Amino acid sequence: MLPFIFCALSIEAVSKAAQAMIEEVRRQFREITGIMEGTGKPEYENCVAISTHAALTQMILPGCIAIVSPILVGWLLGKEALGGLLGGAIVTGVMMAIFMSNAGGAWDNAKKYIEEGNFGGKGSRNHAAAVVGDTVGDPFKDTAGPSLNILIKLMTVVSLVLAPLF
């Protein structure tokens, strides 16, 4: 269950950061004249700050889950249960990582294929649907899928370091 919760939290973090970024870009377009013409200068540092802040704050809970769950399971239920937790997290985590990387790439490639003129090309309903799919696919292949490797490694390292206590 932990890889699924971890993925959900990381995708939600990307969603919140993206929404904050959209609001900031819209604010800059409203308040800074000439951005589209190239005469006004956007405030890039605000966007970098939003991204950095979101990356640090939104991943606190997923990071805590990766550290605290093996400690609690090992301490409360023992080493056998901890082995089961790690085995389950590894099996489901690897499968989820493969699925998310492939699905995200497939959505990205589908959008590119439609943009080449297939299935109605740009501006069609198929293109609009592919853009939505790519919006979901990017966090799959760029965030949640690759971060499962970190979840698995962090859980196993914490377990190995604290194994003598269990």
Side-chain angles (χ1 to χ4, degrees):
M1 177 174 86
L2 290 177
F4 295 94
I5 293 171
F6 187 84
C7 286
L9 291 172
S10 63
I11 291 172
E12 185 178 12
V14 170
S15 173
K16 288 178 182 177
Q19 185 60 43
M21 191 76 68
I22 289 168
E23 290 171 10
E24 174 60 20
V25 169
R26 285 180 179 165
R27 181 199 65 80
Q28 289 187 26
F29 279 130
R30 272 192 318 270
E31 297 176 7
I32 302 172
T33 55
I35 290 178
M36 291 299 286
E37 295 80 22
T39 57
K41 186 171 188 254
E43 298 170 353
Y44 300 112
E45 63 277 358
N46 290 353
C47 294
V48 171
I50 288 169
S51 180
T52 304
H53 182 264
L56 293 173
T57 58
Q58 295 293 319
M59 292 307 288
I60 291 173
L61 180 58
C64 289
I65 287 173
I67 293 170
V68 172
S69 59
I71 295 171
L72 286 177
V73 170
W75 183 52
L76 294 175
L77 302 174
K79 60 187 176 196
E80 292 83 6
L82 179 57
L85 172 73
L86 292 177
I90 290 168
V91 169
T92 58
V94 168
M95 297 305 280
M96 279 292 288
I98 293 169
F99 161 75
M100 294 184 117
S101 295
N102 286 333
W107 278 324
D108 186 39
N109 290 337
K111 183 187 74 147
K112 289 175 185 173
Y113 185 71
I114 291 171
E115 287 175 347
E116 290 174 354
N118 300 293
F119 297 109
K122 282 189 175 183
S124 67
R125 294 185 72 191
N126 289 332
H127 183 253
V131 169
V132 172
D134 187 42
T135 303
V136 176
D138 283 342
F140 266 42
K141 69 180 174 57
D142 298 332
T143 305
S147 67
L148 282 169
N149 181 37
I150 296 164
L151 170 73
I152 293 167
K153 284 183 179 180
L154 188 56
M155 287 177 61
T156 54
V157 167
V158 168
S159 300
L160 285 171
V161 168
L162 298 177
L165 300 176
F166 307 138

